Amino acid sequence: MPSGPNGLAIGALVAGICGGPGLGTLLGFALGIPALVQIRRRRQQGFGLAVAALVISGITLVIGVVAVTGIVDEMRDRVAGIEDTDTTELEAGDCISSLDDSSRVHDMPVVPCTQPHKAEVYHVFRFPAGAYPGPAAVGEQSDERCATAFEPYDTPENEDLEIYYLFPEDETGWEQDRSVLCIASAPLEPRTRSLVG
């Protein structure tokens, strides 16, 4: 006859649930693994409890690692002078340390223009209120207006710069913000001076 539930398995489950991603995770592993060994040797009940404790501890470990990594990255960015800024708050003269290749960008890492940076917002304009004209029309107007706004900066020392722009790509974005960011990017080497300053 199998004996009652294994005490270590119960303790591991309680620790995993109540202890959180720190001590609870450690206790969940420290008690859950020996619990499985005891359950097998003694033919006790509680195998499911021990496995659940290990699963919960594994999940909280992953959550803890992700949280710590995020905090470390944020602290490193602050030390480096990098501040993630919502795209709706960017202004001409804001320098960006790196560009995201994703199609939808919600914030950018802004740094002082004296620090190495890959891009800079050189012009911002806003479409007038009205119905969303569609991405093709918005993109065409953005291309024309950003190209015109770049003309004062089109000098030999800036010939390597590439022009990008961020604009509302759908009706939801249009309702939230009709601004267009014109961005000059340095594809070869980071710059340490402002384009518009």
Side-chain angles (χ1 to χ4, degrees):
M1 292 287 294
S3 58
N6 182 271
L8 289 179
I10 296 173
L13 184 60
V14 172
I17 294 174
C18 302
L23 181 61
T25 300
L26 295 176
L27 288 176
F29 283 119
L31 298 176
I33 294 173
L36 289 176
V37 174
Q38 286 186 3
I39 290 168
R40 183 175 181 181
R41 288 180 179 172
R42 300 176 183 177
R43 296 183 179 179
Q44 289 179 299
Q45 298 175 357
F47 177 81
L49 297 177
V51 171
L54 292 175
V55 170
I56 292 171
S57 296
I59 293 172
T60 55
L61 176 63
V62 171
I63 293 173
V65 169
V66 170
V68 169
T69 301
I71 292 171
V72 169
D73 288 345
E74 185 176 344
M75 292 177 63
R76 185 181 62 230
D77 287 349
R78 286 185 180 179
V79 170
I82 300 173
E83 180 180 351
D84 286 335
T85 303
D86 193 288
T87 54
T88 60
E89 299 176 1
L90 290 173
E91 300 176 349
D94 284 340
C95 291
I96 303 161
S97 64
S98 60
L99 288 176
D100 192 341
D101 293 334
S102 63
S103 59
R104 293 184 179 272
V105 179
H106 301 288
D107 55 48
M108 289 188 166
V110 174
V111 296
C113 291
T114 53
Q115 292 187 18
H117 55 274
K118 292 293 293 182
E120 180 177 354
V121 179
Y122 66 89
H123 183 65
V124 178
F125 69 90
R126 184 177 175 85
F127 281 100
Y132 181 60
V138 173
E140 182 178 351
Q141 292 187 50
S142 299
D143 189 33
E144 293 178 359
R145 295 182 66 170
C146 286
T148 300
F150 186 74
E151 290 177 358
Y153 313 111
D154 191 9
T155 61
E157 65 176 348
N158 295 327
E159 63 182 7
D160 65 322
L161 296 181
E162 297 178 351
I163 297 175
Y164 295 90
Y165 44 86
L166 295 179
F167 60 88
E169 296 184 349
D170 52 37
E171 292 185 8
T172 301
W174 182 264
E175 293 173 359
Q176 294 174 350
D177 183 32
R178 298 186 305 279
S179 298
V180 175
L181 302 177
C182 302
I183 300 171
S185 172
L188 301 179
E189 294 183 2
R191 296 167 64 94
T192 54
R193 63 186 185 279
S194 173
L195 179 67
V196 304

